[in-house]
Amino acid sequence: MYSAIREHGKKMARKTKEEAEKTRQHILDAALNVFCKKGFVRATLKDIADDAGVTRGAIYWHFKDKVDLLEVLSRDIDASAGARVEDILNISVDSLGDIRKKIMAWLNHFNTNERYRRFYEFIYYKIEYHQDLGPVLAKRRTEDRLILNHFEETLQKLQAAGLVRKDIQARHAAIMVLSFLTGLIEMWLTDNTLFPLSRDAPVMVDHFLDNLLKA
């Protein structure tokens, strides 16, 4: 009898945890919807609660405030695409072909993952950086520097192995590659009728990498 009661208690605890996670995910999805419609500043927690079909109290149960909600949403979306900073820093690259594969996998998320695309449309075009978002902006700058430094070190390793041209500074090459990719995505997000990403991006990436880096 007691074992049955304990098992029932475990099941109820799992159910409660699953329901809490489901509510948390509903709130994150609602936040994305509202941020995309209104921008960050004009969006309110009431707007997000209404979109999620929950109370504001439910939001505060899971998140400290709107800034925390944005930070968690960012981590959640990047994690779903394997594009968190820690994921990128742990990538093993042994050739120029490996770099190309990782770039194409990242670009493919914009073409196939609507949630990922919508979030970065918001980040590029609909977010207003003000004092409340100071810590968020500082964190993003730190992460961008980590990625840049990691890419520079990767290129230096490939240069030492004779797989990447040695007549260009690795730091400069890293900046140029990341700038090219950022510009490519920003252009496509602005107007995705300009070129089909899945068809044209591989060709453009190949030309760019070959001209810039190929030994």
Side-chain angles (χ1 to χ4, degrees), residues 1-18:
M1 178 179 177
Y2 291 114
S3 62
I5 292 174
R6 284 197 299 271
E7 186 60 29
H8 177 70
K10 290 179 181 178
K11 288 181 179 178
M12 291 302 294
R14 284 197 297 269
K15 183 177 180 181
T16 301
K17 186 176 180 179
E18 289 170 1

Side-chain angles (χ1 to χ4, degrees), residues 16 19 23 25 30 65 81 98 106 109 122 134 146 171:
T16 301
E19 289 175 346
T23 298
Q25 194 60 55
D65 50 33
D98 287 342
W106 175 69
H109 286 298
F122 158 68
L146 286 172
R171 183 73 170 186

Side-chain angles (χ1 to χ4, degrees), residues 201-214:
V203 178
M204 290 187 280
V205 168
D206 281 346
H207 284 320
F208 187 82
L209 293 181
D210 285 349
N211 291 331
L212 180 65
L213 299 176
K214 197 169 184 179

Side-chain angles (χ1 to χ4, degrees), residues 77-88 106 109 116 120 147:
I77 287 177
D78 283 342
S80 70
R84 297 171 301 173
V85 171
E86 52 265 43
D87 296 324
I88 294 171
W106 175 69
H109 286 298
Y116 192 82
Y120 278 97
I147 292 171

Side-chain angles (χ1 to χ4, degrees), residues 184 186-197 199-200:
L184 181 66
E186 284 197 25
M187 181 174 286
W188 186 78
L189 288 175
T190 301
D191 182 1
N192 61 24
T193 66
L194 285 174
F195 59 92
L197 192 66
R199 187 195 71 189
D200 290 358

